[in-house]
């Protein structure tokens, strides 16, 4: 079974530039999460999707961050414009939801390491 | 707001010994608690889940306890090996279905 796929793995941009991250969850997983992880810290939830609906986005800085999950499968997280403080690892995770298994056990991708110069 | 504390940022032990990691939480009543392992440059990997009505859970060399009175979980690795070296994250969850709150993790190093 293929795991959660994320791309790119690394991204270096200058501040004020836009950037986008892509995530393909495990097949059949209804729930998709985007997390931000700073060095030496645990992951912090940005947004959670149930199928194509964003059900928990209270931690997403909506002035510059946006996300979408069209058709309830792949998802894209965008930052525009990026700031120096956005440098971090962006993790995508998925969980089975109604497909089976304890719904809140999360399967993480390898993350995208963003560096903003 | 919820606060999660893991006992120390780093724990160094000798191979063969038992590693014990602590997770304390405040301002929170989770229905369950999960433990994850994270290696450098990788995403966290799920290890164990323990529910509020369970006192102890085991999986191979891993053991987790959950004391809702003390608001604490202990994570044990018995007969530790250098391959167990990683960062271990605790994540209470369940008060808001689907949301986990992660601690900052404890970096475990097992030396031969």
């Amino acid at each position: 079974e293929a795991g959660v796929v994320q791309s790119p793995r690394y991204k270096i941009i200058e501040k004020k530039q836009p950037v986008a991250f892509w995530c393909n969850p495990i097949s059949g997983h209804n729930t998709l999460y985007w997390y931000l992880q700073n060095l030496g810290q645990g992951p912090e939830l940005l947004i959670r999707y149930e199928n194509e609906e964003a059900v928990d986005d209270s931690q997403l800085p909506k002035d510059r961050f946006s996300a979408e999950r069209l058709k309830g499968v792949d998802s894209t997280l965008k930052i525009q414009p990026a700031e120096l403080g956005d440098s971090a690892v962006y993790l995508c995770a998925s969980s089975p939801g109604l497909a089976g298994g304890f719904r809140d056990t999360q399967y993480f991708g390898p993350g995208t390491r963003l560096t903003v110069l | 707001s919820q606060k999660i504390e893991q006992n120390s940022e780093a724990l160094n032990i000798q191979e063969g010994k038992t590693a014990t990691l602590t997770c304390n939480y405040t301002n929170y009543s989770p229905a369950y608690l999960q433990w994850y392992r994270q290696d450098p440059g990788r995403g966290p990997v799920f290890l164990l889940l323990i529910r509020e009505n369970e006192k102890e859970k085991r999986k191979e060399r891993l053991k987790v306890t959950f004391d809702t009175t003390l608001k604490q979980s202990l994570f044990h690795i018995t007969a530790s090996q250098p391959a167990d070296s990683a960062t271990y994250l605790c994540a209470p969850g369940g008060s808001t279905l689907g949301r986990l709150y992660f601690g900052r993790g404890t970096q475990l190093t097992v030396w031969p």
Side-chain angles (χ1 to χ4, degrees):
Chain A
E1 179 182 87
V4 175
V5 179
Q6 291 188 248
S7 68
R9 290 295 314 276
Y10 305 91
K11 189 73 175 179
I12 301 174
I13 61 172
E14 294 189 348
K15 63 181 180 180
K16 300 186 181 180
Q17 294 299 305
V19 64
F21 314 123
W22 176 79
C23 173
N24 182 247
I26 293 173
S27 177
H29 280 194
N30 298 312
T31 308
L32 184 146
Y33 312 77
W34 282 103
Y35 286 89
L36 177 154
Q37 186 173 28
N38 288 304
L39 187 64
Q41 303 295 319
E44 300 173 39
L45 181 69
L46 290 172
I47 189 169
R48 173 170 67 96
Y49 282 94
E50 293 288 345
N51 298 303
E52 61 272 9
E53 181 182 359
V55 297
D56 187 352
D57 64 355
S58 58
Q59 304 301 311
L60 189 73
K62 298 182 181 64
D63 57 336
R64 297 184 300 108
F65 286 65
S66 64
E68 61 181 12
R69 190 184 185 198
L70 300 177
K71 301 182 181 179
V73 181
D74 296 3
S75 179
T76 302
L77 177 69
K78 298 178 182 177
I79 308 175
Q80 182 171 10
E83 296 179 352
L84 294 176
D86 295 332
S87 295
V89 174
Y90 291 83
L91 293 164
C92 178
S94 67
S95 62
L98 298 177
F102 190 71
R103 65 175 297 155
D104 298 310
T105 301
Q106 298 179 19
Y107 299 82
F108 285 82
T112 297
R113 181 176 295 279
L114 174 67
T115 301
V116 182
L117 303 176
Chain B
S1 62
Q2 297 86 355
K3 185 177 181 181
I4 301 157
E5 294 182 348
Q6 295 195 238
N7 56 326
S8 62
E9 290 188 6
L11 181 64
N12 301 306
I13 64 168
Q14 188 177 22
E15 182 176 10
K17 302 293 186 183
T18 296
T20 298
L21 286 64
T22 304
C23 176
N24 295 291
Y25 57 90
T26 56
N27 301 327
Y28 196 19
S29 296
Y32 57 85
L33 193 145
Q34 300 184 13
W35 284 88
Y36 287 77
R37 167 183 174 144
Q38 188 171 24
D39 291 284
R42 294 177 177 267
V45 175
F46 171 77
L47 296 175
L48 279 170
L49 177 148
I50 186 166
R51 293 179 170 81
E52 60 180 338
N53 61 347
E54 298 174 317
K55 296 296 185 184
E56 182 179 296
K57 198 77 152 307
R58 292 176 184 262
K59 179 183 177 182
E60 299 174 350
R61 295 183 296 110
L62 309 180
K63 184 178 83 171
V64 173
T65 62
F66 191 11
D67 189 324
T68 56
T69 301
L70 293 178
K71 294 185 179 294
Q72 181 182 80
S73 175
L74 299 179
F75 178 82
H76 306 273
I77 306 176
T78 59
S80 59
Q81 304 167 1
D84 295 325
S85 298
T87 295
Y88 292 86
L89 303 163
C90 79
S95 63
T96 302
L97 192 61
R99 179 186 282 208
L100 293 177
Y101 295 92
F102 285 86
R104 64 187 301 170
T106 296
Q107 185 175 352
L108 173 67
T109 302
V110 182
W111 45 279

